[in-house]
Amino acid sequence: MQTDDLIILYEDNHILVALKPQNTACCPDESGDDNLLDCLKRYIKEKYQKPGNVYLGLVHRLDRPTGGVMVFAKTSKAAARLAEQMKGGGFEKRYYAVLCSVPSRKKAVLENYLRKNSINNTVYVCTQTEEGAKFASLEYDIKDEHGGLALAEIKLHTGRTHQIRVQMASINAPVYGDMRYGGANAVKGKLALWAYSLSFFHPVTGEKLRFMAEPPLDEAPWKLFNVQIDG
């Protein structure tokens, strides 16, 4: 990933908001592939001619196949304050997803307990008493339908690994392109999951900020739907 390819939505002395491309890791992992965090560090180093190592704090994550808005901290103080917001519910994350079927309820809150299998990096729904179980909650709202597919707006209440993919699959409406969790309903293609909106309070000024970005509307299956991004 080249620094020229970066899409920077906002930047000041404390935070940097950027668009994560799909199928790009948000930070270094065992694959050794180039990732957004390292690319942003190179961008800062080049733009400001900074010597030595560049600090950039990873505040939250997006799965590799998921694209969308991310915020990074340019100082350790900003990173700590944003982390506190994450724990206290100060962040609001909204996604668009194309689902492989239309849920029976057009709007609902899903609450489950999820457990991660670290060996195969797969998450599954479990009971509350199972060791390693973590509470997961989201709400979805079906915005449009086309040919048996559905466009859902999803608001996360918790931030668990693969949460949207697992919880939507649990009601037989897996995300388009999700071959891991889609089962018999899976449709092959690029994962149609996009973090389109991120809201939080600025770690220094306290101002409420919201950043939005459209999914790739010229690509399937997004182009089948009327996707609206508004303030």
Side-chain angles (χ1 to χ4, degrees), residues 1 3-12 15-21 36 40 43 47-48 60 62 67-72 74 94 194-200 202 209-215 229:
M1 186 177 184
T3 55
D4 291 344
D5 299 325
L6 290 170
I7 298 178
I8 307 296
L9 302 178
Y10 178 82
E11 181 183 5
D12 63 20
I15 61 173
L16 191 158
V17 181
L19 201 63
K20 186 184 92 64
L36 182 58
L40 288 170
Y43 156 79
K47 181 176 180 179
Y48 301 103
H60 62 116
L62 288 177
V69 183
M70 291 189 69
V71 59
F72 297 83
K74 294 178 73 174
R94 291 181 181 266
W194 187 266
Y196 86 88
S197 174
L198 180 64
S199 301
F200 57 91
H202 192 283
L209 303 174
R210 186 183 187 193
F211 301 96
M212 294 180 290
E214 293 180 341
I229 304 293

Side-chain angles (χ1 to χ4, degrees), residues 79-116:
R81 290 180 177 177
L82 290 172
E84 288 178 6
Q85 275 193 62
M86 288 282 289
K87 292 179 181 178
F91 271 59
E92 182 183 274
K93 303 175 186 177
R94 291 181 181 266
Y95 293 73
Y96 270 124
V98 178
L99 309 178
C100 292
S101 62
V102 181
S104 57
R105 292 186 294 171
K106 298 300 176 66
K107 183 184 294 189
V109 174
L110 301 182
E111 295 182 342
N112 302 98
Y113 283 87
L114 306 181
R115 182 181 180 185
K116 182 177 181 179

Side-chain angles (χ1 to χ4, degrees), residues 98-175:
V98 178
L99 309 178
C100 292
S101 62
V102 181
S104 57
R105 292 186 294 171
K106 298 300 176 66
K107 183 184 294 189
V109 174
L110 301 182
E111 295 182 342
N112 302 98
Y113 283 87
L114 306 181
R115 182 181 180 185
K116 182 177 181 179
N117 183 331
S118 299
I119 296 175
N120 60 13
N121 194 33
T122 298
V123 177
Y124 60 91
V125 175
C126 66
T127 63
Q128 181 178 353
T129 56
E130 196 165 337
E131 184 180 355
K134 294 184 177 180
F135 179 71
S137 175
L138 62 77
E139 59 184 281
Y140 71 83
D141 185 4
I142 301 303
K143 296 295 188 181
D144 197 7
E145 300 175 25
H146 187 280
L149 303 177
L151 175 70
E153 182 185 30
I154 299 170
K155 179 182 176 182
L156 281 183
H157 300 154
T158 56
R160 308 303 183 195
T161 302
H162 298 176
Q163 179 180 335
I164 293 174
R165 298 163 63 184
V166 175
Q167 288 194 278
M168 298 314 298
S170 74
I171 60 169
N172 298 313
V175 178

